[in-house]
Amino acid sequence: MSHRISALVVAAGSGSRIGGDIPKQYRIVAGKPVLAHAVDALLAHSAIDEIVVVIGDGQGALYAEAIGDRPLPAPVIGGALRRESVANGLAAITGDWVLVHDAARPFLPASVIDRLIKALETAAGAIPVLPVADTLALGGPTLGDVVPRETLVRVQTPQAFHTKLLRDAHAAWDASREASDDAQMVRHARYAVAMVEGSAMLEKITWAEDFGAAERRHAPALVSRTGMGFDVHAFTQGDHLWLGGVKVPHGKALAGHSDADVALHALVDALLGTIGDGDIGSHFPPSDERWRGAASHQFLTHARDLVTQAGGRIDHVDVTIICEAPKIGPHRPAIRARIAELLAISEAQVSVKATTTEKLGFTGRGEGIAAQAVATVRVPEVGL
């Protein structure tokens, strides 16, 4: 007999133990949000028929950004307690078997899901566990007795149950006390819970330092790529021009289909070069009227997003502006800050320089401005 299997991802916590501006399930680790890792593992498993995510009240925008266009139903709003969040989620699922998973365990091996589903064929519930390797002892003012570890296990999620039995266990639970997990509630209802082999991949992200450990363990191997860009724009009539995303007063403007920000255009090409994705003209052709007079910061953020989507990380950018006038020095700090803002990197990762051609060539004759840029980006070793 086949069973419809639902996955319930609990992502309603505030992450207060980690701190920061957003809950831990929405923070980025190994290239994407913690929640997205957990959801993708479940989406990739052929036995899972339905995935429902429980989120905290007011987390809708964070959820939408983390999930993107993944094919999921609308999230369920959780309660103040984990038990309440799971109960809300159970009311929304349609499967006769359910896997309840904590979003804070983002790296879920398919083999663990396989073992849990197999165990449900003969048990009311099943949980993944790992043996305890450390010596355990009672604490106090001084060290207490050692606790035998042979009969102890570390409990992980997802925890799998026959849905009706889990709903019954929740309904029968004394709301004046809290349960550590769903397995405790099912056992309290006198159902047997089987144990299957867990995985070290399922380590829970609890503390701030756990993000660094998860990043080191799961981030793809990265290699450094360098891209170079060069651009030129002639002067035309006007009273200002745009350089590095900054409006610079000047007796002339720069001619171009867009706002002719020569510095950002060179930087766009440099970033695209690191991932081998053409040049600014292939993404924003001058024949396209949509880009007439467009602000060039749109082009730069597009290139930044392409690098991010490819798994890349921008390490450093270096822009050199070549002209006799205007003087770049007074505007250099603002240009540097604006580029850092657009690329979502620190100012320490941005270099802006200026030079002249000693009165030689078209820039020396004051006919226009040129710019060159170099970008250093780390990208995944495979896949590009």
Side-chain angles (χ1 to χ4, degrees):
M1 175 183 176
S2 61
H3 294 272
R4 179 170 173 81
I5 301 176
S6 298
L8 189 58
V9 182
V10 185
S14 62
S16 57
R17 283 179 289 187
I18 284 184
D21 296 332
I22 61 174
K24 61 186 174 184
Q25 60 269 31
Y26 301 112
R27 290 178 56 176
I28 303 296
V29 66
K32 59 185 175 183
V34 169
L35 173 60
H37 282 287
V39 167
D40 286 347
L42 292 163
L43 283 172
H45 199 285
S46 61
I48 304 299
D49 299 298
E50 172 188 55
I51 301 171
V52 172
V53 181
V54 183
I55 67 173
D57 190 21
Q59 295 178 0
L62 290 171
Y63 170 82
E65 183 177 357
I67 293 302
D69 59 359
R70 292 171 175 83
L72 297 184
V76 173
I77 302 301
L81 304 172
R82 184 186 186 279
R83 172 176 53 81
E84 296 170 345
S85 294
V86 174
N88 290 358
L90 287 173
I93 64 171
T94 61
D96 51 333
W97 287 0
V98 59
L99 275 63
V100 182
H101 186 51
D102 292 335
R105 301 181 190 270
F107 304 107
L108 172 55
S111 57
V112 173
I113 299 176
D114 293 338
R115 291 192 284 269
L116 289 168
I117 292 173
K118 179 67 176 176
L120 285 185
E121 295 175 2
T122 56
I127 62 172
V129 301
L130 288 178
V132 176
D134 297 325
T135 296
L136 299 178
L138 298 175
T142 60
L143 181 65
D145 291 338
V146 171
V147 178
R149 63 189 178 198
E150 290 76 18
T151 58
L152 299 178
V153 293
R154 296 167 54 205
V155 175
Q156 301 178 315
T157 71
Q159 298 185 352
F161 307 96
H162 294 193
T163 305
K164 182 181 184 305
L165 299 183
L166 183 56
R167 285 176 176 153
D168 290 345
H170 271 262
W173 186 259
D174 180 359
S176 67
R177 54 191 291 251
E178 274 315 303
S180 60
D181 61 6
D182 295 285
Q184 181 186 359
M185 301 171 72
V186 170
R187 288 182 59 253
H188 183 76
R190 302 194 180 283
Y191 293 110
V193 177
M195 296 184 294
V196 303
E197 181 186 354
S199 171
M201 294 277 286
L202 279 169
E203 292 293 342
K204 187 176 182 180
I205 294 178
T206 304
W207 308 106
E209 55 267 27
D210 293 338
F211 278 96
E215 188 76 38
R216 290 188 295 272
R217 176 180 289 185
H218 299 288
L222 300 177
V223 296
S224 184
R225 294 272 185 92
T226 301
M228 186 170 68
F230 183 82
D231 196 39
V232 174
H233 281 278
F235 283 127
T236 188
Q237 291 182 343
D239 60 5
H240 71 274
L241 49 83
W242 287 90
L243 283 176
V246 173
K247 185 177 181 179
V248 177
H250 189 54
K252 297 179 181 178
L254 288 173
H257 186 65
S258 64
D259 66 4
D261 191 326
V262 64
L264 291 192
H265 291 186
L267 186 51
V268 168
D269 274 354
L271 287 171
L272 293 174
T274 66
I275 55 174
D277 197 357
D279 57 28
I280 191 171
S282 61
H283 290 267
F284 304 98
S287 58
D288 191 334
E289 286 300 308
R290 288 181 300 169
W291 311 121
R292 180 172 295 280
S296 294
H297 66 76
Q298 300 174 77
F299 309 155
L300 187 62
T301 55
H302 176 76
R304 176 204 67 194
D305 290 345
L306 289 177
V307 169
T308 301
Q309 291 164 19
R313 303 178 190 178
I314 300 172
D315 282 334
H316 192 263
V317 295
D318 186 4
V319 180
T320 301
I321 301 170
I322 307 166
C323 63
E324 296 293 330
K327 296 296 183 183
I328 304 302
H331 307 286
R332 189 198 319 267
I335 293 173
R336 188 182 186 199
R338 180 59 172 156
I339 290 174
E341 177 188 12
L342 292 170
L343 295 181
I345 58 179
S346 71
E347 289 187 37
Q349 295 170 278
V350 178
S351 172
V352 174
K353 306 191 299 291
T355 190
T356 71
T357 55
E358 301 295 335
K359 304 293 185 180
L360 299 175
F362 77 94
T363 59
R365 294 189 296 270
E367 298 172 1
I369 299 179
Q372 63 183 23
V374 176
T376 304
V377 172
R378 283 177 293 156
V379 296
E381 192 169 11
V382 295
L384 284 175

